[in-house]
Amino acid sequence: MNSNQTHLTVTRTVDVPAKDLFDLLTLPARHPEFDGSGTVRSADNTERIHKSGEKFVMNMHREAMGGDYRTHNFVTAYDENKMIGWQPAPEGEDGSAPTEPLGWEWLYELKAQGSDSTEVALTYDWSKVTDQKLLEQVGFPAIPQSDLEESLNLLAAAVTKA
C-alpha cells in the first residue's frame, strides 16, 4: 500500500438477493455478526436504519482505543437494496455525543447478479479525514484488508442463517 492511499475496497459474491443483505446491513443489532475486525460488541440503538442522516450507537472494544468505548455512526449513504454507509465518531470521554463524524466511512454497495445472487463491495474510506493529528494518531488504515475480507465472509454466513 502506498502512503497516498485513502481507501480499501473488497468484494464478494453472495448467493442471496440484495434485499436480504440490505435487510441485515440496516439492523445495527446484527452488526457484531459480520465485523471481521472483532471490535463491534453490540448496538445501543437497535432500530432499523431507514435513511441518510440517521445515527446509531455501537459499543466497541479495541485495545488501541483504550479498551471499551462507544461510537456514534452517522448514516451517510442509503439507497434501498443498493447501498448503505456510515461515518463514525467516538463518544467523548465524558459520555458526550459527537456532533459530526471524523471523516472515515464504511460503505456497502450491493449489485444484483440475477435474482438470487449479489456482488457486495465493502469500502473503508478515510479520504475525508483532514485532521493531521488524527491521521497520525489512528494510523490509517486502522483496519487491514484481511479484516474487511473476513467481514464479507461473516456477512455471507449471517445472511444465510435463520
Side-chain angles (χ1 to χ4, degrees):
M1 177 175 11
N2 67 54
S3 61
N4 294 327
Q5 186 169 358
T6 59
H7 72 279
L8 295 172
T9 300
V10 296
T11 60
R12 176 184 171 152
T13 299
V14 181
D15 292 330
V16 297
K19 179 189 182 316
D20 294 355
L21 286 159
F22 192 79
D23 284 349
L24 177 59
L25 290 166
T26 56
L27 280 174
R30 297 216 39 209
H31 287 194
E33 294 176 50
F34 57 89
D35 169 37
S37 72
T39 60
V40 179
R41 299 295 191 229
S42 64
D44 269 6
N45 177 352
T46 58
E47 298 296 316
R48 182 175 298 281
I49 299 165
H50 291 100
K51 63 183 182 198
S52 290
E54 291 182 347
K55 185 167 74 169
F56 61 96
V57 179
M58 302 301 286
N59 296 302
M60 312 285 286
H61 181 87
R62 185 172 175 92
E63 291 304 320
M65 293 286 292
D68 293 335
Y69 65 100
R70 288 167 35 103
T71 187
H72 294 243
N73 297 282
F74 298 78
V75 179
T76 54
Y78 184 98
D79 188 355
E80 191 169 349
N81 300 330
K82 295 180 182 172
M83 179 187 312
I84 182 80
W86 54 86
Q87 289 186 16
E91 196 169 78
E93 289 183 21
D94 62 357
S96 61
T99 57
E100 61 186 41
L102 298 180
W104 63 93
E105 181 174 46
W106 300 99
L107 180 67
Y108 289 84
E109 296 174 278
L110 310 175
K111 293 180 185 168
Q113 306 290 306
S115 61
D116 291 325
S117 186
T118 307
E119 181 184 270
V120 183
L122 168 56
T123 300
Y124 168 39
D125 183 335
W126 58 95
S127 64
K128 295 180 182 117
V129 178
T130 57
D131 181 333
Q132 192 60 39
K133 182 178 175 186
L134 180 63
L135 284 166
E136 292 168 9
Q137 177 184 3
V138 172
F140 288 97
I143 306 299
Q145 183 170 329
S146 59
D147 286 1
L148 300 182
E149 291 166 351
E150 181 63 6
S151 290
L152 292 187
N153 293 337
L154 292 170
L155 178 65
V159 77
T160 56
K161 76 178 190 181

